[in-house]
Structure formats: structure tokens, C-alpha cells
Amino acid sequence: MQTHITTTPFGRRSMTLGQIASQATAKAMPKEAIANKWQVFQHVREARELVGATDRALAILNALLSFHRETELSAEGELIVWPSNEQLMARANGISPATLRRHLSVLVECGLIIRRDSPNGKRFARRSRTGEIEQAYGFDLSPLVARAEELRDLAEVVQAEKKAFRVARERLTLLRRDIVKMIDAGLEEGVPGNWGRVLQTYQGVISRLPRTASRQLIEDICAELYELHAEIRDVLESFTKTQNPNANESHSARHIQNSNPDSIFESETGSRKEKEASGNAAETDNVRSLPKRDLPLSIVLDACPNLRETAQSGEIRHWRDFVAAAELVRTMLGISPSAWQDAREVMGEVQAAIALAAIYQRADQINSAGGYLRSLTDRAREGKFSTWPMIMALLRAKLDEGKQRQTTENATSEAGPRLEVSDSLLKSLRKRNPRP
């Protein structure tokens, strides 16, 4: 059996204290130490970030383990493998020689293998007359046996962290879903409350959540959302307690419709005959003559720039971002989920979002956004509505406003500076030039 001795790397490679520590750890392991090589490799793969290994380094380690014939790595057995670079590259999916050398160094620095270089740098094994290995030069796998328990503990730490991260994300998803649906329920049932403020608070918390967030940040945001969740739930529960438990749904609907006329809610049924809804919808009578292609996103954003302000990331690049912003606008306008769902089913998700963006752009001119949207939905159901006229009208209004502003600025610049004359000077001029 080979005697493990401390060796320094061959060639220009220098010796480090970390390599000495790895050799000392391997030398101090008990003789009865044993480990399953593939189980240890699995632990290394799970804890690779804590260990400091790379993906390519793991591929090379997997190749090195494949050159060890036994599945069990034993301190009393032969733990040195001596494959050539060509053999390693072949089993490591054909990586280049430079990549092989670089990631072999990573494995050494991580303390997963030890170089046992021969005097001339070659890898080989010297056998006795009976065929037993007397001395081998190559890569020593003993650190994997010596650190088997440590690597298992690191893998368990990583697994626990992943589980905690997964639980935090699940909690975040549930809180977000509950809050949005409870806000919708409050709007749908006419529960008195400043739901616009609640929605702004929710969006303010969510806007701090990046695409890739740490577990700690997710847990902090979950704590804030939980407080908001409890506040909304208390409001809804308090409202249900004030209702007659024997009342049916129609009675409840009448009560909600007639309560708190100054709240953010609306009576959508009575508002379908609003003048602005019927008047503006008249522009869509000749739908058949309109273009059949879809509206480009850039044109819609030019016509409805106010929607950009509600985007979570402050930017709308795709239709999915546009629809998400429309969802937020729908709640801000006090449009019930049923009206929005009806519009999406009739018009389609994107077309309904475009119509909602146009309504939001003209929110100061529309008394009932929900009634207006239901009116447009009814016309779309009859095939008499298209979003093209709405967007073109907004673009024309924007263009006319720009031309008017430019005309005013030109007139001001051509008029030149005005001469300010004092009252005393005017009196003096009148005395010198009396009127005939």
C-alpha cells in the first residue's frame, strides 16, 4: 500500500497554506473512515456555492471519481487516480486543455482533491511483482473521505435554506393573491373604505421587490403584507357582521348600491346610459371599415401615456406588462371585477386592456368608468366596437394640443418684447399731443 507523503505541485504551481491544510486533514482522518463516492459527490454538488466549486469543476470531479473502480472510498484503500489529460477531457464532455487545468486548480483550492505529482509531473502508478500498487502519482481523493461529514452538513444547510426560501416565496404568493382578491371583493360588494389608498399601499410594498430577491427581503415584505392583509380582512369581517345574516344576495346588493354615495364605488347599472358612453361609442359604428391588424404597443402607449405611471417597474415593454398595468388601473377607477371579466371575455385580454387604458387617459371626462366599460362591452358583443377609433381620437387630440401650443409659442415670439410705460409718462405725452 502506498505511503501518503506531503508533496508540492510540479512546475510553476506554488504551494499554498490551504493545500497544506487539506493534506493535514486527509492525513489525520481515521483509518476506518469510509464514504460512498457518489453520495459525497451529491453533497458537493448541492453545497458547491459554499465549497467554492464551479460547474466545470464538478464535471471534472465526476470524471475523476469514475476512474476509481470501487463505489466506496476507504481510508485503507487506494485513493489516488492517475488519468491522463486526454482521458479526463473525454469523460468531462470534451472540455479544452486550458479549461481542464483551470478547474483542476479550483478543485485543489477548494480542498476536494490533492495533487500527488511525481518528480517529472507525470501521472502513473508503480506496482510490485504481485501486482499491488506501491506508489501512485496523480490526484488524491482522500479529502472527500476526510470531509464527508462536513460536506453532508453543508448540503443540509443549503437544503434548509432552499426550503426556507421556497416557503417564503409561497407565503408571498398567497399574501399577494389574498390581498388582491380581498380588494376585489371589497369593490364588488361595495364595502365602504378608501380602497384606492389600500391599493397604493400594496403597490408601494410590492415595488420594492426585485426580480431576484433574497430570502430576508422576501420575509420582510411578507411581514408588511401580512399587516395589510390583517387590516383588509378586519374591514371585510366587520362589514359582514353589520349585515343581516338572513338577508339574501339581492337584498345585500340593494343595500350596497344605496350606501355611502360619496365613496369610490359606483352604480354601474344606472350609468350605462351616460352621455359620454353613448356619444363616444357612436364613433365605432363603422367597425367593418377599420384596419383588421392589431394595434402596435408603441402607438397605444403614445395615445395613453398615463398608463406608464402605474407600471410596477416604471416601464412597459411587452403586452403582459401592459395588461398588468391595466389590472391596477381597473382597481383605481373602481371598476368591479365582474365588469372587467366580462370585458375580457368579450373583447379579449389585450383589447380590453387597451379600452381600459383609453378610459384611464380620459378619466377626468368620464363620470362612471365602470358603466362606460360595460357599454363598450355590450357594443363589442354586437360587433360594433373597436379600439382603433379610441386610440386614433386620443392621438389626434394629442396632436392638436401640440399644434396649438406651438402656434401660441410662435405668436408670442413674433410679437417681441412689450414696452412698459408708466402712468406719469402717458400723462406727459397727452399734454404735449392733445387730442383734436
Side-chain angles (χ1 to χ4, degrees):
M1 178 181 174
Q2 170 191 342
T3 303
H4 288 261
I5 58 173
T6 301
T7 59
T8 55
F10 174 78
R12 295 183 178 181
R13 290 188 294 267
S14 59
M15 189 72 176
T16 63
L17 294 179
Q19 295 175 13
I20 295 177
S22 298
Q23 294 180 9
T25 302
K27 185 178 181 179
M29 68 175 174
K31 295 182 179 180
E32 63 275 7
I34 190 173
N36 185 294
K37 65 179 182 181
W38 299 124
Q39 188 174 11
V40 174
F41 178 75
Q42 178 65 22
H43 294 160
V44 174
R45 185 168 60 180
E46 292 178 356
R48 60 188 177 90
E49 293 184 359
L50 298 180
V51 175
T54 60
D55 293 338
R56 292 292 183 89
L58 291 179
I60 296 172
L61 179 60
N62 181 75
L64 288 173
L65 289 174
S66 67
F67 285 102
H68 191 277
R69 296 182 179 180
E70 302 296 332
T71 302
E72 300 292 335
L73 301 178
S74 174
E76 296 183 349
E78 179 59 50
L79 294 176
I80 295 181
V81 293
W82 52 93
S84 64
N85 285 350
E86 289 75 12
Q87 291 174 321
L88 273 177
M89 288 187 292
R91 294 200 186 183
N93 302 323
I95 62 177
S96 65
T99 303
L100 176 65
R101 291 191 295 269
R102 184 167 62 252
H103 291 284
L104 279 172
S105 299
V106 171
L107 292 175
V108 174
E109 293 299 326
C110 292
L112 297 177
I113 62 174
I114 298 175
R115 289 183 184 273
R116 300 293 185 185
D117 290 345
S118 64
N120 60 359
K122 301 293 183 179
R123 301 176 199 141
F124 62 91
R126 184 181 296 112
R127 298 179 181 273
S128 64
R129 293 181 179 180
T130 59
E132 295 182 357
I133 297 176
E134 292 182 344
Q135 184 67 41
Y137 296 101
F139 299 105
D140 192 350
L141 304 177
S142 57
L144 295 177
V145 182
R147 300 179 60 188
E149 294 185 3
E150 175 193 353
L151 294 172
R152 182 193 59 196
D153 295 340
L154 291 177
E156 291 178 355
V157 169
V158 172
Q159 290 175 358
E161 178 64 23
K162 287 182 178 179
K163 181 179 179 180
F165 183 78
R166 183 172 62 254
V167 170
R169 288 196 63 86
E170 289 175 355
R171 185 187 180 200
L172 175 64
T173 301
L174 292 174
L175 284 171
R176 293 181 65 174
R177 185 181 68 190
D178 289 351
I179 290 174
V180 171
K181 288 187 178 293
M182 285 195 298
I183 292 175
D184 287 345
L187 288 170
E188 184 75 16
E189 301 294 335
V191 179
N194 191 350
W195 295 108
R197 179 193 62 81
V198 174
L199 184 63
Q200 289 180 357
T201 303
Y202 168 72
Q203 291 296 333
V205 176
I206 294 300
S207 63
R208 302 192 347 253
L209 187 67
R211 291 183 180 271
T212 55
S214 63
R215 178 178 62 86
Q216 185 61 45
L217 178 59
I218 293 177
E219 290 180 348
D220 293 342
I221 290 179
C222 283
E224 297 184 34
L225 290 179
Y226 182 79
E227 295 180 0
L228 182 62
H229 179 279
E231 180 181 347
I232 299 173
R233 184 186 58 205
D234 291 342
V235 171
L236 296 179
E237 290 178 354
S238 299
F239 181 77
T240 57
K241 292 178 181 178
T242 61
Q243 305 302 304
N244 184 2
N246 297 324
N248 56 27
E249 294 181 359
S250 61
H251 175 77
S252 177
R254 288 195 299 271
H255 173 78
I256 294 170
Q257 181 175 341
N258 296 327
S259 64
N260 194 7
D262 297 328
S263 67
I264 63 174
F265 312 114
E266 58 175 353
S267 174
E268 294 180 355
T269 305
S271 61
R272 294 188 189 181
K273 298 181 180 179
E274 292 282 346
K275 291 183 179 180
E276 71 272 7
S278 60
N280 291 328
E283 299 177 1
T284 64
D285 287 339
N286 194 13
V287 176
R288 295 181 180 178
S289 62
L290 296 173
K292 301 302 181 183
R293 65 183 185 277
D294 294 334
L295 278 163
L297 178 60
S298 58
I299 292 180
V300 177
L301 291 176
D302 288 341
C304 309
N306 291 349
L307 194 70
R308 295 179 183 270
E309 301 174 359
T310 63
Q312 293 186 8
S313 60
E315 210 171 337
I316 298 178
R317 298 181 179 180
H318 307 284
W319 281 115
R320 61 176 179 270
D321 301 333
F322 186 88
V323 173
E327 286 276 2
L328 174 61
V329 166
R330 189 270 304 172
T331 312
M332 295 172 63
L333 293 175
I335 298 175
S336 65
S338 60
W340 173 236
Q341 181 64 26
D342 193 22
R344 293 172 65 181
E345 291 177 355
V346 175
M347 303 181 193
E349 187 176 55
V350 174
Q351 297 302 315
I354 294 175
L356 195 58
I359 294 174
Y360 183 65
Q361 188 67 27
R362 299 179 55 248
D364 57 338
Q365 304 174 22
I366 299 176
N367 295 332
S368 175
Y372 192 15
L373 181 62
R374 285 192 181 276
S375 177
L376 297 180
T377 303
D378 292 341
R379 296 184 66 84
R381 188 179 287 108
E382 299 172 0
K384 299 180 180 180
F385 171 72
S386 171
T387 53
W388 274 91
M390 299 182 71
I391 299 303
M392 293 301 106
L394 290 173
L395 288 175
R396 283 196 301 271
K398 185 178 179 181
L399 182 62
D400 293 342
E401 182 181 355
K403 288 182 178 179
Q404 184 178 3
R405 187 185 302 110
Q406 185 177 4
T407 302
T408 304
E409 292 176 356
N410 293 338
T412 304
S413 61
E414 291 175 0
R418 296 182 60 185
L419 181 63
E420 298 291 338
V421 182
S422 64
D423 294 337
S424 59
L425 180 58
L426 286 174
K427 292 179 181 180
S428 176
L429 290 173
R430 291 193 185 100
K431 290 181 181 178
R432 293 183 181 180
N433 299 303
R435 295 181 179 178

